[in-house]
Amino acid sequence: DELLKIPMDLCITRKSARKALGKDALQNGINEYLAIACQLIHEKYVLGEESFYAPYMGVLPEVEEVNPTFTWKDEELDFLQGSPVVAATRSLQMKLKREYDDLLGGEDGLIAKFPDRFPKEHFTYENWVWAFTMLFSRAIRLRNLQVGERLAMVPYADLINHSAFSQAFIDARESGDWLFKDGTEEVILYADRGYRQMEQIYISYGQKSNAELLLLYGFALERNPYNSVDVTVSIAPRTAAVAAANEGVEVDPLAQQKIDFLAAVGRDQTVDFPCYADRYPVEMLEYLRLMMMTEEDTRGKDLADFDFTRTISPANEAAVLQSVVEAVNYQLDLYPQTEEDDANIIKDKGLFRLLTYNQRMAVRHRRNEKRLLKRTLAALEKQIRNKGLDVDGLKRAEGSTLGDVLKGETRKQKTALEDRLEKM
């Protein structure tokens, strides 16, 4: 069933932003987020009550009401130390400032070029952060438009809250019935089931971990089937150059083959994978099976001839699973406090109330990350035992899984969450 219809013409998009602020200023091909951010500032702060969108602007929250981590104070972020959220938050903060300076600030920015349309008293960095807080937490990706997919702020449809278990969704379609179309488009909220009168409707914002929800939406879920923690797996191919630069490191005869294979499939030597409570990605096992290959495993065959979705050998599989154990333990060691420390802070209600709202949220979040990683460890150790791989004497291609980089090796610096943000 269709629960809500919004004409596409009422939505704020890159097209509407270029119309409102001029195609000479917001040129063809400008990033959708940047264009819509400019129109949001224009409607709320420049036009104010004279804006056609004034009623909609009036219901949009302030930054403090959304509270994503990229707007937190440093002393609040300190409570997330050890969590991958911190690196992603810092990366996003730098990205927003860089894009503001490139588009609006400076001698060649829009504020200098078009001061009448981009008045500097309104197009401030503070308002820029507000606009992106709205975009990250409320913009909807519409996929069935005539021109393909587009990002849009959809008035009032963006008031609907998130549930990871909802199958209701929002998308666009051409207006009219199946026989007669009028050429216009509309946004539809499709129901996933029957609803009672006054019952709240939820949609899913996507399969997002609590880290991503906290970073972009300002909340996390206690029951989140998609919750995960990014874990870094770093295996240094022991080439002759690397071995020469690192005392005690032996050359891996397959090192160059591994490097070439990774380059061919578009993988780095250091990769971040999401670990879930009871599972981890198949891609991580495939990557580690390659990196842990020995000459004995190859039996004279080329690496490209192997199916890395399958177990290569008992020794290889043991090395793979043990590598994941080491990587998860390394991530746990990054947190200054233990899970037990966090539990005691939460249990002490008097102390817990003294913390700010964001600090309390941070303590809960970091505790949940540690609990998830511990469950991953338990699942790994059980798998090692069940496969009979917890024995000594298995020959392995040893490597670092601790995120440490050997001399002569280049390392990928961004986390998986940061990589996803770069694509926005």
Side-chain angles (χ1 to χ4, degrees):
D1 290 342
E2 301 167 2
L3 300 179
L4 178 69
K5 294 182 183 180
I6 303 285
M8 192 66 202
D9 288 344
L10 295 182
C11 299
I12 298 177
T13 62
R14 176 170 54 191
K15 180 180 178 181
S16 70
R18 296 185 70 214
K19 181 178 180 181
L21 289 161
K23 295 181 180 180
D24 54 340
L26 303 181
Q27 297 184 2
N28 188 34
I30 185 174
N31 178 278
E32 291 179 291
Y33 283 91
L34 302 183
I36 297 173
C38 287
Q39 187 176 0
L40 287 173
I41 295 172
H42 174 73
E43 302 294 345
K44 181 176 175 66
Y45 296 104
V46 179
L47 297 182
E49 291 301 318
E50 296 180 4
S51 169
F52 170 80
Y53 291 99
Y56 176 48
M57 294 295 124
V59 301
L60 291 179
E62 297 301 322
V63 170
E64 295 76 17
E65 296 175 80
V66 181
N67 218 21
T69 60
F70 69 87
T71 68
W72 286 18
K73 299 175 182 177
D74 287 344
E75 55 266 31
E76 294 170 331
L77 273 178
D78 286 343
F79 274 69
L80 283 170
Q81 188 176 345
S83 170
V85 177
V86 176
T89 296
R90 297 295 188 199
S91 178
L92 183 54
Q93 289 170 336
M94 290 188 289
K95 176 181 169 71
L96 290 180
K97 185 64 169 68
R98 183 176 64 251
E99 290 178 339
Y100 174 83
D101 292 339
D102 290 345
L103 181 67
L104 295 168
E107 295 181 0
D108 295 326
L110 296 178
I111 293 173
K113 286 183 175 179
F114 307 98
D116 54 330
R117 280 176 272 172
F118 297 86
K120 63 180 181 181
E121 64 271 22
H122 295 309
F123 279 85
T124 63
Y125 183 67
E126 181 181 5
N127 291 346
W128 184 254
V129 170
W130 170 81
F132 271 91
T133 300
M134 298 304 104
L135 276 164
F136 289 147
S137 62
R138 309 177 83 85
I140 299 170
R141 178 66 65 181
L142 302 173
R143 304 190 183 280
N144 286 320
L145 293 166
Q146 295 172 6
V147 294
E149 66 176 55
R150 290 289 184 270
L151 188 73
M153 293 287 289
V154 184
Y156 307 112
D158 59 9
L159 295 173
I160 303 172
N161 287 326
H162 168 70
S163 169
F165 304 98
S166 175
Q167 295 184 38
F169 66 97
I170 294 174
D171 209 340
R173 71 173 186 195
E174 193 174 355
S175 302
D177 57 30
W178 66 275
L179 186 58
F180 297 103
K181 305 291 185 183
D182 59 15
T184 62
E185 293 175 297
E186 59 191 0
V187 180
I188 307 291
L189 168 62
Y190 295 96
D192 56 340
R193 59 178 176 83
Y195 285 87
R196 298 186 301 273
Q197 187 175 8
M198 305 304 292
E199 181 182 358
Q200 184 172 357
I201 299 169
Y202 293 91
I203 60 172
S204 172
Y205 297 168
Q207 298 181 8
K208 299 184 184 298
S209 68
N210 278 348
E212 194 168 353
L213 290 174
L214 200 59
L215 172 68
L216 300 178
Y217 299 85
F219 68 88
L221 301 174
E222 282 297 323
R223 292 175 60 242
N224 185 355
Y226 307 112
N227 196 23
S228 64
V229 180
D230 287 342
V231 170
T232 299
V233 179
S234 177
I235 303 292
R238 293 179 280 111
T239 61
V242 169
N246 294 269
E247 187 177 351
V249 173
E250 297 182 5
V251 175
D252 177 4
L254 301 177
Q256 193 57 50
Q257 282 191 57
K258 293 175 181 178
I259 292 172
D260 294 342
F261 189 93
L262 287 176
V265 298
R267 283 285 189 192
D268 292 292
Q269 296 171 28
T270 298
V271 188
D272 290 313
F273 293 100
C275 280
Y276 300 86
D278 56 352
R279 65 193 190 280
Y280 32 85
V282 173
E283 292 82 3
M284 179 163 64
L285 297 183
E286 294 174 3
Y287 168 81
L288 288 171
R289 283 168 183 153
L290 164 71
M291 300 306 290
M292 289 298 181
M293 287 281 281
T294 64
E295 280 192 304
E296 184 177 325
D297 289 327
T298 65
R299 300 183 297 279
K301 294 167 60 178
D302 191 81
L303 293 181
D305 295 332
F306 284 86
D307 178 4
F308 292 101
T309 63
R310 295 174 171 272
T311 298
I312 302 300
S313 70
N316 180 271
E317 197 70 3
V320 165
L321 296 178
Q322 191 56 45
S323 295
V324 183
V325 168
E326 291 174 7
V328 173
N329 275 321
Y330 178 74
Q331 178 59 43
L332 279 169
D333 289 341
L334 293 178
Y335 299 97
Q337 307 86 5
T338 65
E339 183 200 339
E340 292 72 23
D341 293 334
D342 295 339
N344 289 333
I345 293 172
I346 295 171
K347 192 181 298 182
D348 187 337
K349 295 183 180 179
L351 172 63
F352 201 52
R353 279 197 296 268
L354 293 177
L355 302 178
T356 67
Y357 175 80
N358 288 349
Q359 289 170 339
R360 293 196 297 271
M361 193 183 305
V363 173
R364 292 192 186 99
H365 179 75
R366 74 193 190 198
R367 183 195 182 198
N368 285 337
E369 285 191 338
K370 295 165 196 171
R371 294 171 75 178
L372 183 151
L373 290 170
K374 285 185 174 181
R375 287 198 289 270
T376 301
L377 276 180
L380 280 164
E381 289 165 354
K382 181 179 179 181
Q383 188 174 357
I384 290 171
R385 288 193 305 271
N386 289 346
K387 290 187 174 184
L389 301 176
D390 52 342
V391 295
D392 297 326
L394 295 175
K395 185 179 179 182
R396 304 172 184 179
E398 299 295 346
S400 166
T401 59
L402 307 184
D404 298 327
V405 183
L406 298 179
K407 294 176 184 176
E409 180 201 3
T410 54
R411 148 149 204 205
K412 172 177 156 302
Q413 296 293 334
K414 294 188 179 77
T415 65
L417 187 52
E418 289 176 84
D419 281 343
R420 291 195 291 274
L421 292 174
E422 284 295 326
K423 297 173 183 176
M424 297 181 75

